[in-house]
Amino acid sequence: MSYIAKCSFNECSCELITINPDHLNSGKQKVIKLSKSFFNKYKLFQKNHSKHESDQNKLMNFLITESFWDFDNIGVSRSIETLKLDETDELAEDFYISYLEKEYKILTASKYLICSECDRGPVGLILSIKEKDSEDPVLSKEICILSLESVFTD
Ligand SMILES: [Zn+2]
């Protein structure tokens, strides 16, 4: 049974994407975990916000898709330069994801994903990623990640 991720803002409930177990099994869609510090770095919207949740090591679930065309309804922000992970910052943390049986390093987040109906969010990001052990700087690709802590799924 597939299920639908919906906008969690009041009186919206726009259907954002259909999460299909067949696609999860084939790797076309995948749920991954990234740390709360990644989530907070990009100030993603958290639907059940609790002041007591300050644990930066908590893992947050994200759905990866190859393209925003996989969404039923999604809005994309303009490119924002400040979303780049700052490589000169000594405190900068590297983030990795495994996808399609490879390990990727997140290079940059180029755009926010927002609800296409109510323009609220952000509920996800468009990321540029690169194979972890690849020396070739050109071999990067773009993916979308939808924060499952930002939307309703049922
Ligand atoms: Zn909405």
Side-chain angles (χ1 to χ4, degrees), residues 31-40 44-48 53 55-63 146-150:
V31 176
I32 57 151
K33 293 179 190 297
L34 284 165
S35 67
K36 185 81 186 289
S37 61
F38 179 88
F39 188 93
N40 288 344
L44 297 174
F45 172 73
Q46 188 168 6
K47 64 174 187 266
N48 297 319
E53 272 186 29
D55 182 2
Q56 296 291 302
N57 296 318
K58 185 181 176 217
L59 294 172
M60 312 294 270
N61 290 310
F62 290 85
L63 177 76
L146 175 72
S147 160
L148 297 177
E149 319 291 335
S150 309

Side-chain angles (χ1 to χ4, degrees), residues 12-136:
C12 182
S13 301
C14 175
E15 296 186 356
L16 303 176
I17 191 168
T18 305
I19 301 173
N20 185 326
D22 288 343
H23 290 174
L24 291 175
N25 290 335
S26 69
K28 194 167 180 283
Q29 293 178 329
K30 184 177 181 187
V31 176
I32 57 151
K33 293 179 190 297
L34 284 165
S35 67
K36 185 81 186 289
S37 61
F38 179 88
F39 188 93
N40 288 344
K41 187 180 188 77
Y42 293 108
K43 299 184 172 63
L44 297 174
F45 172 73
Q46 188 168 6
K47 64 174 187 266
N48 297 319
H49 195 71
S50 154
K51 281 177 186 161
H52 304 291
E53 272 186 29
S54 55
D55 182 2
Q56 296 291 302
N57 296 318
K58 185 181 176 217
L59 294 172
M60 312 294 270
N61 290 310
F62 290 85
L63 177 76
I64 298 186
T65 71
E66 286 206 291
S67 152
F68 58 80
W69 297 111
D70 293 333
F71 288 86
D72 301 316
N73 295 289
I74 200 72
V76 178
S77 73
R78 282 177 293 177
S79 298
I80 302 174
E81 205 63 25
T82 55
L83 285 173
K84 286 199 161 71
L85 292 169
D86 189 358
E87 288 169 3
T88 61
D89 182 351
E90 286 180 18
L91 295 174
E93 191 179 339
D94 287 336
F95 296 101
Y96 296 94
I97 55 178
S98 59
Y99 179 53
L100 298 175
E101 297 175 0
K102 286 180 180 151
E103 197 76 4
Y104 289 93
K105 180 181 180 181
I106 298 175
L107 300 176
T108 60
S110 55
K111 293 172 185 177
Y112 282 118
L113 300 180
I114 53 175
C115 174
S116 61
E117 279 293 313
C118 67
D119 288 340
R120 281 181 288 190
V123 297
L125 294 162
I126 295 181
L127 297 178
S128 174
I129 60 174
K130 190 185 89 151
E131 275 186 47
K132 188 180 175 184
D133 298 318
S134 167
E135 297 297 321
D136 189 343

